[in-house]
Amino acid sequence: MKREGVKKICFVASSGGHLEEISRLKGIEGAYDCFLVTEKSDFVIKNFCEKKYYVPMMNRKQINFLPKFIWLFFRTLVILLREKPDFIITTGALVAYPFCVIGKLLGIKVIYVESFARVNEPSLTGKLVYNMSDLFMVQWEDMLEKYPKSMLGGGIF
């Protein structure tokens, strides 16, 4: 349930490094209503967003990737309609794409933070969501050349 006058944030990140990065936004998480969407895995972040949604891990090379990815779009729609966030903040990767697409269609502001690991080359998710993001942040100055409309946010770590 959304508190009166308090913005709600949907944090989205794949498990592992992307999830570790987004958990570094603890200061933002503590100031707003929020929930986290990530993949089911052994990698767990404690003390970040009380409410969490888990989706299955998937890989673009899996034989059943396409049906799972289509299912993820439906699951995304259900979560976003239920929670009604004002913003989506994501560090990628694959799980983030449906949230950015559906979020934009629903009028939710999308903030994408390109991975700290991306020093010279853009990520696939970054390239896909660059033009649909309301704010696109990079963590390395060299990436401003790859994403000219982005903002240098510095390193999360």
Side-chain angles (χ1 to χ4, degrees), residues 28-47:
I28 295 171
E29 176 262 347
Y32 299 92
D33 281 344
C34 73
F35 62 98
L36 172 68
V37 179
T38 190
E39 298 166 323
K40 287 181 190 169
S41 75
D42 293 337
F43 191 87
V44 178
I45 295 292
K46 295 179 182 175
N47 302 319

Side-chain angles (χ1 to χ4, degrees), residues 37-40 53-57 71-72 75 79 95 99:
V37 179
T38 190
E39 298 166 323
K40 287 181 190 169
Y53 290 92
Y54 295 97
V55 298
M57 290 184 79
W71 174 88
L72 182 56
R75 180 77 173 126
I79 292 169
V95 69
F99 280 86

Side-chain angles (χ1 to χ4, degrees), residues 46-111:
K46 295 179 182 175
N47 302 319
F48 187 79
C49 292
E50 192 173 307
K51 184 177 240 181
K52 296 177 177 71
Y53 290 92
Y54 295 97
V55 298
M57 290 184 79
M58 60 183 79
N59 181 312
R60 293 188 321 258
K61 295 178 175 107
Q62 290 175 314
I63 194 157
N64 62 347
F65 169 73
L66 191 55
K68 285 175 81 173
F69 195 55
I70 292 168
W71 174 88
L72 182 56
F73 274 87
F74 287 109
R75 180 77 173 126
T76 297
L77 181 61
V78 168
I79 292 169
L80 293 179
L81 289 175
R82 177 181 298 145
E83 294 292 339
K84 298 177 176 48
D86 299 291
F87 298 93
I88 294 169
I89 300 177
T90 183
T91 53
L94 195 146
V95 69
Y97 183 71
F99 280 86
C100 294
V101 171
I102 301 293
K104 282 307 286 183
L105 291 173
L106 294 175
I108 301 166
K109 300 288 185 194
V110 174
I111 300 169

Side-chain angles (χ1 to χ4, degrees), residues 1-38:
M1 177 119 163
K2 192 170 172 180
R3 293 180 294 172
E4 187 69 31
V6 176
K7 299 289 185 188
K8 190 174 209 178
I9 299 175
C10 169
F11 289 98
V12 181
S14 293
S15 63
H18 294 281
L19 184 56
E20 176 68 30
E21 278 187 73
I22 211 156
S23 75
R24 299 300 174 123
L25 300 177
K26 181 77 177 148
I28 295 171
E29 176 262 347
Y32 299 92
D33 281 344
C34 73
F35 62 98
L36 172 68
V37 179
T38 190

Side-chain angles (χ1 to χ4, degrees), residues 95-148:
V95 69
Y97 183 71
F99 280 86
C100 294
V101 171
I102 301 293
K104 282 307 286 183
L105 291 173
L106 294 175
I108 301 166
K109 300 288 185 194
V110 174
I111 300 169
Y112 185 85
V113 181
E114 182 66 290
S115 175
F116 185 78
R118 294 303 179 152
V119 179
N120 299 309
E121 290 299 319
S123 66
L124 175 58
T125 309
K127 289 189 269 188
L128 292 171
V129 303
Y130 176 62
N131 287 316
M132 73 176 83
S133 299
D134 294 285
L135 176 61
F136 193 98
M137 297 183 73
V138 294
Q139 298 184 57
W140 297 98
E141 193 169 348
D142 289 351
M143 292 302 286
L144 291 170
E145 293 175 24
K146 305 290 182 177
Y147 299 115

